[in-house]
Amino acid sequence: METIVQQLLNGLTVGGIYALIALGYTMVYGIIKLINFAHGDIFMVGAFVGLLAVNLIADSFIVAVLAAVVFCGFLGIFVEKVAYRPLRENSPKVVITSALGLMLIILLAVFARGDVAGIVSSGTFWIGAVLILAVMFWLIRGRVSGRNKNGNSRINALISAIGMSIVISNMVMLLNGPQREVYPRLLPDYSFSAGPFHISALQLFIIAVSFVLMYLLYYIVHKTKTGLAMRAVSHNLNAARLMGINPDRIISFTFLIGSCLAAVAGVLVGTYYNIADPNVGMMYGLKAFVAAVLGGIGSIPGAVVGGIVLGVAEVMGVAFISPSFRDAIAFGILIFILIVKPTGLFGTKMKEKV
Amino acid sequence: MDTVAGLFLNDYVMQIVTMICINIIIVSGLNLITGVTGMLSLGHSAFMSIGAYASALLMMKAGFPFWLSIAGATFFAGAAGALLGLPILRLRGDYLAIATLGFCEIVRVIFLNLPAAGKALGINSIPYATSAPVAVILAVLGLLFMRNLERSKFGLALRSIREDEIAAEMMGINVARYKVLAFTIGSAFAGLGGALYAHQITFISPNDFGFMKSIELLCMLVLGGMGSLIGVVAGTVTLTAIPEILRFASEYRMVTYGTVLIFMMVFRPQGLFGNIRVNV
């Protein structure tokens, strides 16, 4: 019995973090029907930016969170503009913005290993640059002239999202190296005993932060004008445009909020496990996505409930079945839910249009 | 003359040619599932791993000859594809993609915990049997099979499902049956490729067939152009050979993959040789 309650608390902690990440998935899916695969990696970047800020500025939780939130907010908007918006719109401005963003990524990757002067003076670099520019020119011309129209299909957006996820996680590996980093203990951790249970203040803090942020999000979506616009865009993008809403701004705003929540989750996970790992983004992202599907994708309370259920189920599975099946539990739940009730616990059934 | 032949026919080049042929077999299976039928699968490497493990175990534990064990591997992977296809075929688009991804991770975790499969260490010293001629012949046969399949009435039904599932159903096509069949055949191809892979590399471990391997395969398909066999060959040759040429820059490999995926989706969604757009 004691173990169960103890594990329940651990599960709530992990679940709160999953829920924070899942909110980003569910909001983006609700608005543009896209699984933002890069979201898990934005979470991981949040942890690393927090670490960087702590090393550069001050050893404080607030500094880490602020730095991570600001950076990831911009990163979320960047991801949307580079990888997703050109799949929705055909205007030359959008396409060229995306091309410039991609070039920025390539340059950053080339210079990631330092020695900028050495690379610039080498012939290979210039040959590569000319080749890439020529290909880009050809592609941009083809795209703007309408020869290569965007398919506006879901599969394209999904593959683009996967590409973005790979780019972000490997960029962190290029800049930082593939090794894990030790995360400083940013918050003092008191643990106290209540009867037979050991309760850690850090766990309570994580749970509390998660719930406060979730309430904040609920408030934004349901009580503010921007939230109203978000719901309108999610309902019908073109009708919202006719009502004087700028859907592009609303979509950017959605990515901004989701990424900020993921950034906070990143710093919390770093502080909790004392580790920042460039490889975890995909796995956390997928599990948070499972949480979002479990709760019913597109529903904010659903993401919260799904995250907590998943966290508890996983911790219980590790404690009572076998730790080596940890990753299989989440995906087993996912496949089960998809087969039995694809709309999730709180989802609404979507009618199929012919 | 001897030196020129020596330049192109050495072991290293032969190994790359074999690898390209194996990948062509696997990616043409993925093409049938994703390019022709329009079901996005992110779990193709799971069937590859099933084929690889099945063939290695059949040969080493049961003493089967090479041809029988790769046939068995093909059968097992196809059966696994049918078993997975039956429950998840009613899912569409993103949900199907995620379910296959989940399946891929589950298969990996199972192999990680299976004592017969050597757990995390995998299986070592698998007998080497996939020579370059074997791989080339099987790849050519596989491509011919796929070409004829696509041109047959069966292929027409699959393409109609890709274009519009509801309209296809209205025309009297048993969508569920065709989807499961396509999934089964595609998975069997992945199993065959996986078996050949096991007998070429001679050691396999569960982490060789993770989610990233699926993405790599998908990347080959997307680069060449979904739904086009020329595209399958072009994409596979490019993405198998380029990492070998750029071996000195191997740390950039994954960033390049990611950028190529975004590039193609933003600027040329049909791929290099594709002329269709897959609607999901």
Side-chain angles (χ1 to χ4, degrees):
Chain A
M1 185 58 208
E2 277 124 49
T3 356
I4 292 184
V5 176
Q6 195 71 55
Q7 295 297 351
L8 204 63
L9 193 66
N10 294 344
L12 270 177
T13 315
V14 181
I17 288 165
Y18 284 155
L20 275 186
I21 312 173
L23 285 169
Y25 277 107
T26 218
M27 283 199 303
V28 166
Y29 195 91
I31 286 198
I32 52 175
K33 301 282 171 287
L34 164 79
I35 301 172
N36 179 13
F37 258 103
H39 194 61
D41 298 281
I42 289 179
F43 151 84
M44 180 268 294
V45 169
F48 272 92
V49 171
L51 184 64
L52 192 70
V54 166
N55 287 341
L56 289 181
I57 305 170
D59 197 2
S60 128
F61 180 71
I62 305 285
V63 168
V65 167
L66 277 182
V69 162
V70 170
F71 185 85
C72 289
F74 280 113
L75 183 62
I77 295 176
F78 175 82
V79 164
E80 198 268 327
K81 278 202 196 307
V82 169
Y84 307 146
R85 185 167 298 179
L87 299 177
R88 293 197 309 274
E89 284 177 35
N90 275 320
S91 78
K93 200 179 134 205
V94 171
V95 175
I96 288 168
T97 312
S98 162
L100 290 178
L102 282 168
M103 264 193 246
L104 187 70
I105 293 175
I106 297 173
L107 280 183
L108 198 63
V110 170
F111 294 136
R113 294 319 220 133
D115 189 27
V116 176
I119 297 172
V120 172
S121 62
S122 77
T124 330
F125 172 74
W126 289 106
I127 294 171
V130 167
L131 271 176
I132 291 177
L133 282 178
V135 171
M136 299 233 26
F137 180 72
W138 175 65
L139 286 170
I140 292 175
R141 226 189 47 172
R143 180 71 159 71
V144 172
S145 69
R147 192 148 37 84
N148 305 326
K149 277 201 207 98
N150 68 354
N152 195 21
S153 85
R154 307 266 292 276
I155 203 167
N156 288 353
L158 193 64
I159 294 172
S160 187
I162 293 169
M164 207 40 168
S165 157
I166 296 174
V167 165
I168 293 178
S169 62
N170 285 280
M171 203 61 97
V172 171
M173 277 189 232
L174 278 177
L175 292 168
N176 174 71
Q179 75 280 8
R180 298 166 155 198
E181 298 290 336
V182 175
Y183 220 81
R185 197 169 269 286
L186 295 173
L187 294 167
D189 190 8
Y190 309 106
S191 65
F192 47 90
S193 308
F197 312 122
H198 293 284
I199 297 170
S200 124
L202 185 59
Q203 285 189 325
L204 290 183
F205 179 74
I206 290 178
I207 297 171
V209 167
S210 307
F211 276 93
V212 167
L213 288 176
M214 286 168 214
Y215 180 73
L216 197 67
L217 181 68
Y218 185 82
Y219 181 83
I220 290 176
V221 172
H222 287 273
K223 305 279 165 162
T224 64
K225 222 168 174 181
T226 318
L228 186 65
M230 282 166 78
R231 281 180 287 148
V233 172
S234 141
H235 205 72
N236 187 331
L237 194 140
N238 285 324
R241 202 194 296 269
L242 292 175
M243 296 295 123
I245 296 168
N246 182 350
D248 287 332
R249 280 191 57 186
I250 295 299
I251 291 169
S252 286
F253 182 70
T254 311
F255 273 84
L256 175 80
I257 294 192
S259 306
C260 291
L261 292 178
V264 177
V267 176
L268 286 178
V269 164
T271 320
Y272 184 51
Y273 291 112
N274 291 107
I275 232 159
D277 184 345
N279 296 303
V280 295
M282 184 61 98
M283 197 41 93
Y284 265 94
L286 290 177
K287 284 185 186 162
F289 178 75
V290 173
V293 172
L294 181 61
I297 196 147
S299 139
I300 290 177
V304 176
V305 174
I308 289 169
V309 169
L310 183 69
V312 171
E314 206 178 88
V315 168
M316 293 290 174
V318 168
F320 296 107
I321 304 172
S322 159
S324 52
F325 280 97
R326 183 185 181 122
D327 293 343
I329 293 169
F331 293 111
I333 295 179
L334 171 77
I335 291 185
F336 179 74
I337 283 285
L338 285 179
I339 291 170
V340 176
K341 195 171 187 298
T343 50
L345 299 173
F346 292 80
T348 45
K349 183 138 183 75
M350 265 183 275
K351 279 214 188 85
E352 191 160 337
K353 287 179 193 152
V354 181
Chain B
M1 193 61 207
D2 270 1
T3 48
V4 174
L7 205 61
F8 288 105
L9 289 173
N10 59 29
D11 283 353
Y12 178 57
V13 173
M14 280 299 125
Q15 200 187 340
I16 295 173
V17 169
T18 317
M19 209 61 233
I20 287 174
C21 291
I22 293 174
N23 281 338
I24 284 178
I25 296 175
I26 301 171
V27 176
S28 64
L30 184 63
N31 181 46
L32 187 72
I33 299 174
T34 304
V36 179
T37 322
M39 305 184 283
L40 180 58
S41 165
L42 295 178
H44 208 56
S45 66
F47 301 107
M48 197 183 154
S49 73
I50 291 173
Y53 273 100
S55 177
L57 290 176
L58 281 177
M59 202 161 179
M60 293 167 71
K61 296 260 159 81
F64 278 34
F66 173 62
W67 292 105
L68 260 181
S69 55
I70 61 168
T74 312
F75 170 77
F76 272 121
L83 276 180
L84 177 70
L86 281 174
I88 68 166
L89 63 92
R90 63 196 194 105
L91 303 173
R92 293 261 185 89
D94 311 341
Y95 284 107
L96 179 75
I98 290 298
T100 49
L101 194 166
F103 176 75
C104 180
E105 284 298 313
I106 289 176
V107 168
R108 189 178 64 88
V109 173
I110 289 177
F111 279 128
L112 266 177
N113 289 291
L114 204 66
K119 293 200 171 175
L121 291 175
I123 302 179
N124 291 312
S125 55
I126 302 165
Y128 174 86
T130 312
S131 58
V134 171
V136 171
I137 290 168
L138 283 175
V140 170
L141 287 179
L143 284 174
L144 280 177
F145 175 82
M146 281 295 176
R147 193 193 69 149
N148 290 338
L149 191 71
E150 269 176 46
R151 291 183 179 181
S152 68
K153 220 171 168 182
F154 181 79
L156 187 65
L158 295 187
R159 271 178 288 152
S160 73
I161 292 174
R162 174 188 74 205
E163 295 302 328
D164 192 331
E165 206 174 308
I166 297 168
E169 189 129 36
M170 290 300 142
M171 302 314 275
I173 291 167
N174 186 344
V175 173
R177 188 171 152 259
Y178 276 98
K179 274 181 157 182
V180 173
L181 272 174
F183 209 85
T184 309
I185 299 174
S187 311
F189 267 67
L192 175 62
L196 294 175
Y197 174 87
H199 293 294
Q200 192 216 359
I201 302 288
T202 69
F203 57 88
I204 48 177
S205 76
N207 291 331
D208 297 346
F209 307 102
F211 168 59
M212 274 304 148
K213 186 77 191 175
S214 292
I215 297 296
E216 210 181 304
L217 298 171
L218 184 69
C219 200
M220 291 175 188
L221 179 64
V222 167
L223 179 70
M226 283 186 268
S228 141
L229 284 178
I230 301 173
V232 167
V233 177
T236 312
V237 171
T238 317
L239 285 190
T240 317
I242 283 185
E244 296 295 333
I245 298 166
L246 295 179
R247 199 157 265 282
F248 63 92
S250 60
E251 54 196 347
Y252 290 109
R253 197 172 67 144
M254 289 317 286
V255 175
T256 316
Y257 273 169
T259 330
V260 164
L261 282 179
I262 307 175
F263 250 105
M264 291 316 267
M265 287 303 106
V266 171
F267 296 107
R268 204 174 160 81
Q270 73 269 46
L272 290 177
F273 290 93
N275 45 16
I276 55 110
R277 253 194 316 272
V278 175
N279 288 310
V280 179

